[in-house]
Amino acid sequence: MKQTLITATLLASAALPLHAQETTYPLNLTNCGVEMSFDTAPGSAVTIGQSATEILYSLGLAPKVSGTSVWFNPVLPEFAEVNEGIERMADNDPSFESVVAKKPGLVAVQYEWHVGESGIVGTREMFRDVGVPTYIMPADCDTKDNSTGGDGTRVGAFDTASVYKGIRELAAIFDVQSAGEGLVAELEASERDAIARAEGLDLPGDLTAVFWFSSADLEIDPYVAGRLGAPGYMMSNLGIENIIESDEEWPTVGWESIARADPDIIVIAYMDRRRFPADDVEKKLAFLRTDPVTSQMTAVQERRIVQMDAHAMSATMRSIYGLGTLSQALSEMSFE
């Protein structure tokens, strides 16, 4: 994939007009409701969220990243070596003090609940007061209301346009716009390929699915995907109906209700994070196969359980890879 990315970036760079390859400063933009201005490209960055980290790496900006945090899964394989040389400040939530101590030119953030009005790391005003600008990935605020608490509520369906917006804006901030266009071109091609693969299959017209991210405890209601988030994007593009009708990003729904809906497919998240027992994909599988309720579900009995990178289930660049994972899984299933 690394070579593909480099090739796509070079081709996109060659195809762009010269004026699109350089940023004109001062650069002004509105990010998640906050007006921002940059007089020059930031000299360094700290990331709070794996999505922000991997986008900066994909734009060739790893040398500017001085610290990372909030990890769900291993970094994309093509960045494993460079990531080893960059400080991981925290697997989960870093402290405000540790981020500021890096004196970053920019803090790039995946989730508004980390840095926002009620940010658990800090508010944007706190960072602004010490002279540190913050950029939140638009996928977490466009079409989303984070004032509802928790993981927020979608007010409109997630679309990868918000991911591409984030890539392009970060590329503009750091004056690497040609790299941004190359990355977007690669991801758009991956989307088209995944959708075309599914369209070429003889799939039933009434396929249903549920996405299980995790559970605070295996004995209680699981966190499953609402209809408007990244899993909803995958399902709608591949002709699958989500049995969950909530607009919450990750509502809790009882297994009895899920079993009554009896989805054709169950997609479960795998991750390195271990906040909850059900973060472990093997425990998810064991539960589905042995619980008196879940073991009777069609998807379990027909072995139509898809394992997906947890990070792909969030509204990130990896959601496009998740679309490919699900499309490929569909091509290997039987619905007779």
Side-chain angles (χ1 to χ4, degrees):
M1 179 176 174
K2 184 175 182 180
Q3 184 60 48
T4 302
L5 175 59
I6 293 172
T7 301
T9 301
L10 290 175
L11 288 173
S13 176
L16 288 172
L18 290 176
H19 67 80
Q21 297 183 34
E22 295 183 359
T23 299
T24 300
Y25 297 100
L27 172 68
N28 301 307
L29 55 88
T30 302
N31 171 243
C32 295
V34 174
E35 300 295 327
M36 306 185 71
S37 182
F38 296 88
D39 293 326
T40 188
S44 65
V46 164
T47 57
I48 302 176
Q50 188 169 348
S51 174
T53 304
E54 292 182 337
I55 286 176
L56 291 184
Y57 288 175
S58 298
L59 293 173
L61 295 168
K64 291 199 172 189
V65 179
S66 60
T68 71
S69 57
V70 189
W71 290 87
F72 287 92
N73 288 87
V75 70
L76 289 168
E78 61 267 34
F79 302 122
E81 184 175 352
V82 70
N83 188 63
E84 282 294 319
I86 297 173
E87 180 183 352
R88 181 174 293 200
M89 301 165 59
D91 287 336
N92 294 306
D93 313 326
S95 67
F96 174 78
E97 293 75 15
S98 68
V99 176
V100 171
K102 289 288 186 181
K103 298 181 179 179
L106 181 73
V107 175
V109 183
Q110 179 173 343
Y111 296 118
E112 202 168 12
W113 62 272
H114 277 124
V115 178
E117 288 187 13
S118 303
I120 62 173
V121 176
T123 65
R124 300 188 81 171
E125 290 76 14
M126 288 170 62
F127 281 101
R128 182 197 61 204
D129 289 347
V130 294
V132 177
T134 54
Y135 179 88
I136 299 172
M137 301 310 299
D140 195 57
C141 60
D142 288 2
T143 73
K144 191 165 177 237
D145 179 5
N146 289 311
S147 68
T148 60
D151 293 304
T153 300
R154 288 280 169 186
V155 296
F158 161 74
D159 189 284
T160 50
S162 62
V163 174
Y164 301 147
K165 176 183 176 182
I167 291 170
R168 288 185 167 113
E169 288 186 340
L170 283 172
I173 290 169
F174 284 95
D175 195 14
V176 290
Q177 293 195 61
S178 59
E181 292 303 323
L183 178 57
V184 169
E186 179 189 330
L187 294 170
E188 287 178 331
S190 295
E191 275 191 282
R192 290 193 297 270
D193 290 346
I195 294 169
R197 182 191 299 120
E199 288 176 343
L201 302 173
D202 185 22
L203 296 174
D206 56 353
L207 276 183
T208 59
V210 65
F211 277 60
W212 178 19
F213 189 83
S214 191
S215 304
D217 189 287
L218 283 165
E219 302 305 318
I220 64 177
D221 297 348
Y223 295 108
V224 292
R227 66 189 182 95
L228 298 177
Y233 146 80
M234 297 179 209
M235 286 184 270
S236 65
N237 274 286
L238 301 179
I240 304 170
E241 180 183 352
N242 188 356
I243 65 164
I244 306 300
E245 297 182 353
S246 173
D247 291 348
E248 290 182 47
E249 195 85 338
W250 292 103
T252 54
V253 179
W255 282 114
E256 292 80 4
S257 297
I258 295 171
R260 280 195 297 272
D262 199 22
D264 298 299
I265 302 162
I266 300 173
V267 184
I268 60 175
Y270 65 83
M271 66 190 87
D272 283 2
R273 190 194 78 170
R274 290 294 183 269
R275 281 186 171 175
F276 307 127
D279 286 349
D280 186 338
V281 72
E282 293 301 326
K283 290 185 177 180
K284 285 188 181 78
L285 289 168
F287 174 83
L288 289 172
R289 293 165 179 163
T290 60
D291 180 80
V293 173
T294 61
S295 62
Q296 300 306 305
M297 295 167 63
T298 300
V300 177
Q301 295 195 346
E302 297 295 327
R303 299 185 178 181
R304 292 199 291 262
I305 301 173
V306 180
Q307 297 185 35
M308 182 178 291
D309 174 353
H311 199 41
M313 291 190 185
S314 292
T316 66
M317 180 173 69
R318 285 206 190 189
S319 299
I320 296 153
Y321 306 147
L323 181 73
T325 296
L326 185 53
S327 175
Q328 181 61 41
L330 289 172
S331 71
E332 298 167 359
M333 289 179 182
S334 171
F335 297 96
E336 296 180 355

